[in-house]
Amino acid sequence: MAAHFPRMEPAHLAFISRQKIFFNASAADSGRVNVSPRDVASLRVLNDHTVAYLDLTGSGNETSAHVRSTGRLTLMFCALEGPPLILRLYGKGRILRRGSAEYTALLAEHFDDEERAGARQIVVLDINAVQTSCGYNVPQFDYVKERDTLIRWAEKKGDEGLEQYRREKNVRSIDGFPTGWPEE
């Protein structure tokens, strides 16, 4: 049922390209484990060992705090349509802050130099293991459409409002760990 790989194979890349959603999971050495849904439209495959996604401002910044603390990060994709499959990418995460040289270069090279409203950072996963499993228990769903609520919220807030929001809500995780926002 489960199979392990040292890197993403062409079949894994094809599977990822057909998905609409993935989940990221992160944890510090103590405290809560965070699992968050993400849209695959924000994800880019950089090579067979590296993926990155453009992270939008949200109610918290748990991934940043956990990656900063331990580096541990897992991304999971599961087939909600078609043949069942679960794909997990395990590795070490890195956070590229909006406006940093690395962020700007990656945005230009892999995101057509376009930011979505509310962009706050790029999360990079350096993959050290890939696992597939059956997914036989994952129900099938019909995709309806993307939600634009977060984008509209960010557009309404504007750059100044988003910066203020991040200072109020994104500086510490729910367990009190620093996220690195703003730059320390």
Side-chain angles (χ1 to χ4, degrees):
M1 292 236 238
H4 301 270
F5 306 85
R7 72 186 62 77
M8 291 184 290
E9 302 291 336
H12 303 145
L13 301 175
F15 176 74
I16 289 169
S17 73
R18 293 189 305 269
Q19 305 313 303
K20 303 286 189 221
I21 190 171
F22 69 97
F23 301 86
N24 74 309
S26 61
D29 287 329
S30 62
R32 295 167 182 87
V33 174
N34 183 63
V35 180
S36 296
R38 303 283 183 231
D39 69 319
V40 172
S42 67
L43 183 85
R44 300 294 183 274
V45 175
L46 308 185
N47 57 52
D48 63 0
H49 280 92
T50 315
V51 296
Y53 67 89
L54 187 60
D55 186 46
L56 304 180
T57 301
S59 57
N61 200 359
E62 301 304 300
T63 302
S64 183
H66 294 160
V67 165
R68 182 184 164 114
S69 174
T70 65
R72 296 184 306 160
L73 184 62
T74 299
L75 304 185
M76 184 188 79
F77 304 80
C78 53
L80 302 176
E81 302 173 315
L85 182 68
I86 296 171
L87 172 71
R88 291 179 182 90
L89 306 176
Y90 299 98
K92 185 171 175 93
R94 294 182 284 128
I95 304 298
L96 308 181
R97 295 278 177 234
R98 184 172 186 240
S100 70
E102 279 186 283
Y103 176 98
T104 302
L106 194 60
L107 189 71
E109 185 176 348
H110 292 283
F111 293 88
D112 298 324
D113 212 19
E114 291 184 26
E115 285 183 314
R116 294 168 75 185
R120 71 174 160 199
Q121 59 203 9
I122 294 175
V123 178
V124 178
L125 176 62
D126 297 313
I127 299 164
N128 58 34
V130 176
Q131 180 194 43
T132 59
S133 57
C134 66
Y136 293 162
N137 197 39
V138 176
Q140 289 188 331
F141 290 92
D142 291 325
Y143 174 75
V144 176
K145 67 178 183 174
E146 295 292 321
R147 288 193 172 120
D148 64 354
T149 309
L150 188 60
I151 299 298
R152 287 186 290 114
W153 172 83
E155 289 171 344
K156 185 176 178 182
K157 280 232 173 262
D159 287 339
E160 250 180 62
L162 285 168
E163 186 62 31
Q164 179 63 34
Y165 181 87
R166 290 178 192 126
R167 288 185 189 282
E168 292 172 9
K169 305 282 187 179
N170 291 175
V171 173
R172 295 211 167 265
S173 74
I174 57 177
D175 292 313
F177 302 122
T179 66
W181 193 276
E183 287 298 321
E184 295 177 338

